[in-house]
Amino acid sequence: MPKVALITGITGQDGSYLAEFLLEKGYIVHGIKRRASSFNTQRVDHIYQDPHIDNANFKLHYGDLTDTSNLVRIVQETQPDEIYNLGAQSHVAVSFESPEYTADVDGMGTLRILEAIRILGLEKKTRFYQASTSELYGLVQETPQKETTPFYPRSPYAVAKLYAYWITVNYREAYGIYACNGILFNHESPRRGETFVTRKITRGLANISQGLEDCLYMGNIDALRDWGHAKDYVRMQWMMLQQDQPEDFVIATGVQYSVRQFIEWTANELGMPIRWEGTGVDEVGYAVVPGSAQETVVVRIDPRYFRPTEVETLLGDPAKAKQKLGWVPEISTQDMCKEMVTSDLAEAKKHALLKKFGYDVSVSVE
Ligand code: NDP
Ligand code: GDR
């Protein structure tokens, strides 16, 4: 019998890569998508299967992490061997704008799924993965951060995820559920949401290189992050649920870079190296945009993107994952950046052509 997985957040970056990964392993994959006024399934459209065909092994269900009865029904209908709880209001800056909603989805949503497992008597059948985060470390108490490093969350998002972390541990200890936290450091890809910093940079500078935008407005470009590739990280999410005993693991590359460096790599990749001038909110990045003669300002600091409390530095120690599971990341941060630039540049070129020729792309454009 094929294994059955249920993924919350299947329409997000990680959900889409994890669904691909599990389908390749022969799983039947169920995913929860939210009702939206327009299509929100772009990241999984390529693996979508017509529900009318027999033996479809990829199925989407409408649902929401704020809706207990709906979650209980979906878990009952799908009887999953594994649940991956990836759904979340995942933007740290947005969590300061919508703290209560973030707590409901990211904190209580986790409890609702765990309760569904318990209410339905699936404690011995269903394994549970919780998408925990390096944001739990916030104001860091130890460097590098590992499984035993104390937490100090610095945003409503991180505080909600702290609840989710501990309720997962508690349900493991109280009810014997196979439940694990993956404490994942930042991971990115061409499918990363457009408002997270790496994608904002690769997309923004690619657009500037094609004359579609003038300037990229950034927040704290001296923040340090440990960035990996989402494909490597979803493999680890699955590995964590295949062990004899449930445990929590830090997943990271063990190397950190600044946002400023990520901007520089991206600009170099696009053939428009950056020269910095000024300090603080007056700081700007100059570059020669391909096709133009002189240096222009392509980066400006906008305090709008500063957070009320910032996480300045994060660096993970993935030694436990390497030692116990043999997991090591395969894609370097620089190669990931290149992949993102290539993808965003191709999109920008398409848009530049549309802009130049109007929407009639049947016109020859040699
Ligand atoms: P995304 O923001 O790309 O995806 C989040 C997913 O959650 C989307 O499918 C979204 O749906 C869904 N979602 C949002 N709100 C609800 C809700 N109320 N009910 C049901 N589903 C909802 O995040 P990532 O893929 O990057 O991250 C996956 C998980 O891992 C998240 O929990 C995140 O907090 C966590 N995490 C991420 C890290 C990273 O660096 N990427 C690092 C550590 C943890 P829709 O598409 O409709 O918006
Ligand atoms: P983060 O990711 O907050 O670490 O959360 P994000 O990419 O949003 O920010 C990383 C760092 O870059 C700084 N920064 C900016 N960030 C954004 N978004 N926009 C800007 O213009 C900008 N300028 C500077 C930020 O201040 C921050 O220091 C991500 C999410 O995926 C979470 O869900 C996940 O839990 C953590 O990673 C691990």
Side-chain angles (χ1 to χ4, degrees):
M1 282 291 282
K3 277 194 178 175
V4 176
L6 173 63
I7 304 176
T8 72
I10 197 160
T11 56
Q13 172 188 255
D14 287 16
S16 66
Y17 283 118
L18 181 65
E20 278 171 11
F21 179 88
L22 294 176
L23 286 170
E24 267 173 33
K25 289 227 164 279
Y27 277 66
I28 295 172
V29 175
H30 295 270
I32 297 184
K33 67 168 175 175
R34 294 194 287 175
R35 148 74 191 151
S37 65
S38 53
F39 290 124
N40 59 355
T41 53
Q42 299 89 323
R43 292 188 181 100
V44 288
D45 281 346
H46 62 290
I47 50 175
Y48 176 80
Q49 294 171 6
D50 185 335
H52 304 99
I53 63 168
D54 289 337
N55 304 322
N57 55 3
F58 180 74
K59 296 174 191 163
L60 294 178
H61 307 255
Y62 279 112
D64 199 294
L65 282 161
T66 59
D67 182 344
T68 307
S69 59
N70 150 275
L71 293 172
V72 171
R73 185 177 48 73
I74 293 172
V75 175
Q76 184 177 35
E77 278 175 15
T78 57
Q79 295 283 309
D81 298 297
E82 296 167 11
I83 296 180
Y84 296 87
N85 184 32
L86 310 183
Q89 189 303 90
S90 72
H91 203 285
V92 172
V94 172
S95 78
F96 288 98
E97 309 291 326
S98 297
E100 186 180 333
Y101 175 72
T102 304
D104 194 9
V105 177
D106 300 13
M108 294 299 284
T110 307
L111 174 66
R112 291 183 184 110
I113 302 254
L114 286 164
E115 268 298 285
I117 293 173
R118 205 163 75 90
I119 290 166
L120 296 166
L122 295 172
E123 296 97 323
K124 295 284 167 268
K125 172 183 167 72
T126 304
R127 295 185 169 200
F128 178 79
Y129 172 86
Q130 170 57 19
S132 284
T133 164
S134 51
E135 285 293 300
L136 295 172
Y137 300 117
L139 190 61
V140 298
Q141 306 293 299
E142 176 186 32
T143 295
Q145 295 85 53
K146 49 184 188 277
E147 289 79 4
T148 50
T149 302
F151 297 139
Y152 193 134
R154 291 269 282 174
S155 63
Y157 166 80
V159 174
K161 286 280 187 175
L162 185 74
Y163 177 84
Y165 172 93
W166 280 115
I167 202 69
T168 299
V169 173
N170 182 244
Y171 271 51
R172 176 168 78 212
E173 292 174 354
Y175 306 116
I177 296 175
Y178 188 115
C180 306
N181 285 289
I183 308 173
L184 270 54
F185 282 62
N186 299 53
H187 47 279
E188 322 290 310
S189 73
R191 296 188 198 163
R192 185 57 145 151
E194 290 86 346
T195 60
F196 295 97
V197 80
T198 55
R199 185 76 200 289
K200 179 171 167 180
I201 294 165
T202 57
R203 187 170 171 272
L205 290 184
N207 281 346
I208 291 171
S209 79
Q210 297 306 305
L212 295 169
E213 281 177 53
D214 297 327
C215 187
L216 185 59
Y217 291 89
M218 300 295 306
N220 174 18
I221 59 173
D222 291 316
L224 294 162
R225 286 293 183 277
D226 177 334
W227 282 296
H229 195 298
K231 267 191 184 171
D232 277 333
Y233 288 41
V234 299
R235 181 160 44 84
M236 182 60 200
Q237 294 170 4
W238 172 78
M239 287 170 92
M240 281 179 63
L241 294 197
Q242 313 310 312
Q243 306 309 302
D244 289 339
Q245 295 300 325
E247 278 187 78
D248 306 322
F249 288 91
V250 160
I251 307 300
T253 68
V255 186
Q256 70 174 180
Y257 300 99
S258 66
V259 171
R260 186 190 293 273
Q261 279 170 296
F262 201 93
I263 295 174
E264 288 166 358
W265 293 343
T266 302
N268 286 340
E269 200 58 33
L270 290 164
M272 42 191 275
I274 293 255
R275 182 173 63 78
W276 299 102
E277 234 174 62
T279 49
V281 290
D282 294 326
E283 182 146 16
V284 292
Y286 289 89
V288 178
V289 176
S292 76
Q294 84 264 24
E295 278 194 347
T296 51
V297 173
V298 292
V299 179
R300 277 185 205 281
I301 305 303
D302 180 348
R304 197 158 77 91
Y305 297 109
F306 294 162
R307 296 166 183 187
T309 39
E310 170 66 314
V311 174
E312 297 285 351
T313 174
L314 288 173
L315 175 64
D317 175 1
K320 181 179 172 187
K322 185 176 178 190
Q323 191 197 339
K324 290 209 161 175
L325 305 172
W327 178 86
V328 280
E330 287 170 3
I331 306 169
S332 73
T333 315
Q334 285 92 335
D335 283 348
M336 181 194 73
C337 176
K338 273 187 199 163
E339 186 190 342
M340 293 173 71
V341 172
T342 304
S343 164
D344 279 326
L345 184 58
E347 264 318 287
K349 284 185 171 164
K350 259 195 263 167
H351 288 136
L353 277 179
L354 282 174
K355 195 175 164 195
K356 189 166 172 194
F357 294 101
Y359 287 98
D360 186 6
V361 279
S362 59
V363 177
S364 170
V365 288
E366 280 149 279

